[in-house]
Amino acid sequence: MCNLPPKFHSVCRLCLSFCGDNCSDVKLPIFDRDKDKSRLSEMIMTYLSIMVSSEDMLPQVVCGSCAHKLDEFHTFRELTHKSERLLEQFVQYANSLSGPKEVSNKTYLFHKH
């Protein structure tokens, strides 16, 4: 068993920032018992491809800045998925009005003006 210093578990799991007791930056637990409140572990695995476990010996907190970035990743992902669905629906709607038209790839792709 290794002897880790107590401060080791107070660093952000993602950026390694350290914040002592008198710091204004909040440390958020990666694993929260209230599943509706915290999805940090899922977001870390989904957006960063970092496997986290409540059983590992690594820090179990992230700083507010990293948590905010994960929220931004999530918001951006949701926006792009919604945009993709809307664009696909628009193409389907446009095709239903005029019927599908064949487009010659030779005419439009790599056409130099």
Side-chain angles (χ1 to χ4, degrees):
M1 181 167 204
C2 56
N3 294 319
L4 297 170
K7 291 183 180 183
F8 176 81
H9 295 287
S10 298
V11 299
C12 175
R13 172 79 171 253
L14 302 177
C15 73
L16 299 180
S17 66
F18 174 75
C19 198
D21 295 335
N22 57 354
C23 183
S24 63
D25 192 16
V26 64
K27 295 289 184 188
L28 302 167
I30 294 173
F31 303 98
D32 198 327
R33 290 188 175 107
D34 184 2
K35 292 181 182 178
D36 294 331
K37 184 179 176 186
S38 178
R39 304 178 321 237
L40 286 173
S41 62
E42 292 174 25
M43 289 193 295
I44 290 169
M45 290 188 273
T46 300
Y47 304 128
L48 305 178
S49 299
I50 295 174
M51 298 304 295
V52 293
S53 168
S54 59
E55 306 298 319
D56 63 31
M57 299 285 294
L58 302 177
Q60 304 286 308
V61 294
V62 297
C63 68
S65 178
C66 287
H68 179 71
K69 288 175 185 173
L70 285 170
D71 281 334
E72 287 178 337
F73 279 143
H74 178 74
T75 300
F76 181 66
R77 180 177 187 246
E78 294 299 310
L79 171 67
T80 60
H81 285 221
K82 181 179 179 182
S83 298
E84 182 75 9
R85 286 190 304 272
L86 290 172
L87 289 169
E88 288 174 353
Q89 289 173 358
F90 180 78
V91 168
Q92 289 175 354
Y93 175 72
N95 282 339
S96 72
L97 293 177
S98 61
K101 294 182 181 179
E102 286 190 34
V103 177
S104 171
N105 288 341
K106 292 179 183 177
T107 305
Y108 295 101
L109 293 178
F110 307 110
H111 182 63
K112 295 182 180 182
H113 296 278

